[in-house]
Amino acid sequence: MFDTVLVANRGEIAVRVMRACEELGIDTVAVYSDADKHAGHVRYADSAYNVGPARAADSYLDQEAILEVARKADADAIHPGYGFLAENATFADRVEREDGITWIGPASESMEQLGEKTKARRAMQEADVPIVPGTTEPVEDVAAIHAFGEEHGYPIAIKAEGGGGGRGMKVLRDPEEAASKLESAKREGEAYFSNDSVYLERYLENPRHVEVQIVADRHGNVIHLGERDCSLQRRHQKVIEEAPSPALSEGLREQIGEAARRGVAESGYYNAGTVEFLLEEDPDRDPDDPLGPETNFYFLEVNTRIQVEHTVTEELTGIDIVKQQLRIAAGEMLSVEQDDIELDGHAIEFRINAENAAEEFQPASDGTLETYDPPGGIGVRLDDALRAGDDLVTDYDSMIAKLIVWGDDREECLARSRRALAEYDIEGVTTIVPFHRLMLENDRFVEGTHTTKYLDEKLDPDLIADAQRRWGPEQAPPASADSDDEEDAEEREFTVEVNGKRFDVSLEEHGAPAINVPEGAGSTDRPSRPQSAPDSETDSGSDSVEVAEGGEAIDAEMQGTILSVDVAEDDEVGAGDVVCVLEAMKMENDVVAERGGTVSSVHVSEGDSVDMGDVLVVLE
């Protein structure tokens, strides 16, 4: 077994991996960006090293920086978690070629084969796994899309080779949109995955999303750990996951599990992975009549890593999947066979995202966890990294925790989930806990007849707004300015970095004014950031941009990165015209003009990072 594992990730998944390592007697190394110097995974690790600025491309995605830390820390293995470099075959190959360091994941060759969608489709076809009608070679032009539409009909999904979770996917319903949708999918694929290749699939109208957890060792042994239902999604992003699926009969469950195991076994894959499928839901189905073995199901993709929702499978099987990853990477054989796997009870995972569901799930731009008191009791598990008093880091994704609930059956699991969510006390940051509580009162979800389109197309937004009012946090009163009760002695903790490595030191002060800690100096007390006056030369906020009377300043509605600028000075635009494209929360968002006018100034360029409220374009 390994002595030291570097976890090339952040947040709750980094802590999850570190906990498994600690139980196996393995030391852990954290890496962190400037934005994460006070993060939970940094506190938890045995040692921690800074790898660069907040921007992910300059820190968590910097392959050489990660490898350099592994060498400095004498790590003999790297676990990538999920996201960032977890499915990067190039990085896996670099680790494999690094002397004395093991990649905790599938072989880079398998990642390259199954991680790109067209190659994975070909591999699954050879293993006799059903796939959605589509192309097995990249599509380059509009003519190929039109030909596919004539053969298979519309709608068509245009998908990025390296995509997932809806990133790099565009749905084409009208042949006239083929050129614009193709360009958008290619651009998004290049922006997220440095790969602008796309392929086509027939788009299913009433799909359920079901995935199968796979574990395979280097000795040819492959097992599956049952399926998970991830059909409750918003814009292709999973929100609630559960296992087993409430929609599958035992016969269909067995077929899907065996198809996943067969496809992985014949591709020579090892370590943990997930095989995802789509199947057609019957919108008129009786909830008490699950989908039978005659139901069509189709291979969607393979995720060559641990999944966010691996937790529900662990709750059903009692198998620690991260420990299995570590043991497999160390060359051990699986300790269980397929016939040993039994699914016990029902489990649901709720993603606790720092988002306002009543405002189109808009992610929080800042905040401090003034209160963080998670639920407990029988059947309740929390995977998190934050604690009360922590500042919210918004440079990456919005998920701050995962609540996993288990019950003897789905009915008990739902009841226990209602109790657990009601106990979850979070103040200072808006989360989607009210949305989750709403879903536990929602007939479609409780019956288990929802599809991946339910949230986007069927759920009344007014119900979400009402849930936010009922269960959302109350506004905290302003803090008192009184400071008469200051103690004479105060202990302060500081973080210092020596050659990139993080150290914590304590300092006690007696009878002196509080130490003024400059922003970013490392005080774990993290005083509130002072509000500086706007600088007309550097500040991009609305206050620093002149807007002529009757004009319009088009602001960024969320923090993100500019993918393209579609207008220039003196251009004429109409109401609803796209002025730029903003990437936020792994999705591409069109920024449009609310009314027509002439572009008087453009304040962003392709690749710029922007904050909520920054002025992008001004019209007159």
Side-chain angles (χ1 to χ4, degrees):
M1 185 50 71
F2 307 112
D3 293 321
T4 304
V5 169
L6 183 149
V7 183
N9 217 293
R10 64 178 298 277
E12 61 82 23
I13 186 56
V15 173
R16 165 73 187 91
V17 174
M18 291 171 186
R19 284 173 170 156
C21 289
E22 184 172 5
E23 291 178 16
L24 292 173
I26 302 170
D27 289 340
T28 55
V29 179
V31 292
Y32 64 96
S33 70
D34 290 347
D36 268 341
K37 62 176 58 180
H38 304 299
H41 73 285
V42 176
R43 295 192 294 255
Y44 197 93
D46 294 298
S47 62
Y49 292 78
N50 184 286
V51 287
R55 185 169 176 260
D58 300 323
S59 51
Y60 294 111
L61 293 174
D62 187 334
Q63 298 182 23
E64 185 53 41
I66 301 292
L67 287 171
E68 181 59 30
V69 168
R71 300 181 195 113
K72 281 183 181 179
D74 291 326
D76 47 3
I78 293 178
H79 193 302
Y82 51 70
F84 294 129
L85 295 170
E87 291 183 281
N88 189 307
T90 300
F91 182 61
D93 178 64
R94 291 188 66 177
V95 176
E96 290 167 345
R97 290 187 286 107
E98 192 77 20
D99 185 38
I101 302 179
T102 299
W103 172 252
I104 301 174
S108 58
E109 183 179 352
S110 292
M111 294 177 67
E112 199 274 335
Q113 178 190 29
L114 295 179
E116 291 196 1
K117 305 303 185 291
T118 53
K119 294 179 180 179
R121 285 168 61 87
R122 288 195 296 270
M124 290 297 161
Q125 274 186 317
E126 293 172 1
D128 197 28
V129 176
I131 66 173
V132 178
T135 60
T136 55
E137 297 293 339
V139 171
E140 301 292 343
D141 53 42
V142 171
I145 298 176
H146 289 160
F148 183 86
E150 291 175 5
E151 180 179 357
H152 298 288
Y154 292 86
I156 298 170
I158 307 176
K159 293 186 172 184
E161 281 267 16
R167 290 164 289 173
M169 185 180 85
K170 301 300 170 185
V171 178
L172 176 63
R173 298 183 181 277
D174 185 340
E176 296 297 321
E177 298 179 327
S180 62
K181 296 283 187 180
L182 175 62
E183 179 184 353
S184 181
K186 289 173 72 69
R187 181 174 63 230
E188 200 167 312
E190 176 64 32
Y192 294 132
F193 315 108
S194 299
N195 182 354
D196 68 353
S197 293
V198 299
Y199 67 103
L200 308 178
E201 276 185 358
R202 181 74 167 85
Y203 188 67
L204 303 182
E205 292 287 9
N206 295 296
R208 291 194 75 96
H209 183 131
V210 175
E211 62 188 30
V212 178
Q213 178 69 58
I214 290 292
V215 183
D217 63 26
R218 294 173 181 246
H219 307 279
N221 302 304
V222 182
I223 61 173
H224 75 80
L225 304 181
E227 91 284 355
R228 300 184 287 256
D229 195 308
C230 307
S231 299
L232 199 74
Q233 303 179 6
R234 178 185 176 271
R235 298 179 67 185
H236 306 286
Q237 296 294 311
K238 302 168 186 175
V239 185
I240 298 175
E241 302 100 340
E242 61 182 308
S245 171
L248 270 58
S249 64
E250 286 301 323
L252 183 57
R253 174 170 293 115
E254 184 176 343
Q255 287 184 24
I256 292 179
E258 177 55 29
R261 194 202 63 78
R262 184 174 65 248
V264 167
E266 296 196 20
S267 67
Y269 185 96
Y270 60 77
N271 213 272
T274 303
V275 185
E276 301 193 348
F277 296 92
L278 293 179
L279 54 91
E280 282 278 11
E281 174 64 278
D282 178 0
D284 300 320
R285 178 175 64 86
D286 187 321
D288 295 325
D289 184 17
L291 298 168
E294 73 285 352
T295 303
N296 291 327
F297 64 91
Y298 304 101
F299 167 76
L300 177 62
E301 63 182 351
V302 176
N303 284 287
T304 56
R305 53 170 169 80
I306 195 85
Q307 291 275 92
V308 175
E309 58 273 18
H310 74 278
T311 56
V312 293
T313 298
E314 292 179 330
E315 294 304 300
L316 294 194
T317 62
I319 294 175
D320 187 320
I321 298 172
V322 175
K323 285 184 181 178
Q324 291 295 321
Q325 288 189 290
L326 292 162
R327 289 174 173 139
I328 291 167
E332 297 181 18
M333 294 180 63
L334 289 175
S335 59
V336 294
E337 298 179 354
Q338 189 64 58
D339 291 342
D340 299 326
I341 305 302
E342 295 183 2
L343 305 182
D344 179 26
H346 198 94
I348 301 178
E349 176 183 274
F350 301 89
R351 300 192 183 199
I352 309 301
N353 297 341
E355 300 171 2
N356 188 337
E359 298 291 339
E360 292 290 322
F361 290 78
Q362 180 173 294
S365 59
D366 56 22
T368 300
L369 286 174
E370 298 165 2
T371 300
Y372 185 74
D373 188 7
I378 294 175
V380 176
R381 166 180 170 179
L382 254 296
D383 278 23
D384 57 14
L386 295 174
R387 295 294 178 264
D390 283 356
D391 291 334
L392 189 66
V393 175
T394 59
D395 298 82
Y396 312 106
D397 63 76
S398 64
M399 188 170 67
I400 60 176
K402 300 184 306 198
L403 170 65
I404 306 98
V405 182
W406 177 91
D408 281 327
D409 53 31
R410 192 169 189 263
E411 184 177 358
E412 181 180 63
C413 188
L414 290 171
R416 186 167 285 164
S417 296
R418 296 185 187 98
R419 186 266 296 172
L421 285 164
E423 290 180 4
Y424 211 149
D425 188 6
I426 302 176
E427 295 180 6
V429 173
T430 298
T431 72
I432 60 172
V433 167
F435 166 81
H436 289 318
R437 298 181 69 176
L438 169 66
M439 296 316 299
L440 293 176
E441 294 185 352
N442 178 272
D443 289 342
R444 287 290 293 276
F445 179 74
V446 171
E447 291 174 351
T449 57
H450 55 285
T451 71
T452 60
K453 300 181 181 181
Y454 176 65
L455 293 183
D456 292 330
E457 299 180 1
K458 302 294 184 182
L459 184 64
D460 185 351
D462 290 341
L463 295 177
I464 301 178
D466 180 61
Q468 190 66 36
R469 286 191 294 269
R470 289 170 63 192
W471 297 310
E474 297 180 1
Q475 294 296 320
S480 171
D482 295 337
S483 57
D484 296 337
D485 58 348
E486 254 185 36
E487 296 182 1
D488 291 335
E490 183 177 0
E491 183 173 303
R492 301 290 293 272
E493 293 187 354
F494 296 84
T495 299
V496 296
E497 292 175 9
V498 179
N499 294 328
K501 185 175 182 180
R502 179 186 189 274
F503 295 90
D504 294 327
V505 296
S506 297
L507 176 67
E508 190 173 278
E509 52 182 334
H510 295 268
I515 297 173
N516 181 23
V517 182
E519 182 185 338
S523 168
T524 55
D525 288 339
R526 292 179 300 285
S528 299
R529 180 178 298 176
Q531 297 296 315
S532 57
D535 184 331
S536 61
E537 293 184 1
T538 60
D539 182 49
S540 59
S542 301
D543 294 341
S544 64
V545 176
E546 292 187 5
V547 180
E549 184 176 353
E552 175 189 1
I554 302 176
D555 298 342
E557 295 185 356
M558 61 193 76
Q559 185 271 339
T561 301
I562 300 297
L563 292 185
S564 70
V565 179
D566 297 70
V567 295
E569 289 187 14
D570 299 325
D571 282 358
E572 296 290 333
V573 298
D577 285 354
V578 177
V579 297
C580 62
V581 179
L582 171 68
E583 179 273 320
M585 291 306 299
K586 305 177 183 177
M587 297 297 295
E588 186 173 314
N589 302 273
D590 291 339
V591 180
V592 301
E594 292 186 3
R595 49 195 172 86
T598 302
V599 177
S600 62
S601 58
V602 177
H603 296 265
V604 289
S605 302
E606 182 177 332
D608 286 355
S609 294
V610 297
D611 291 322
M612 184 186 302
D614 284 357
V615 174
L616 309 177
V617 174
V618 174
L619 304 181
E620 62 181 18

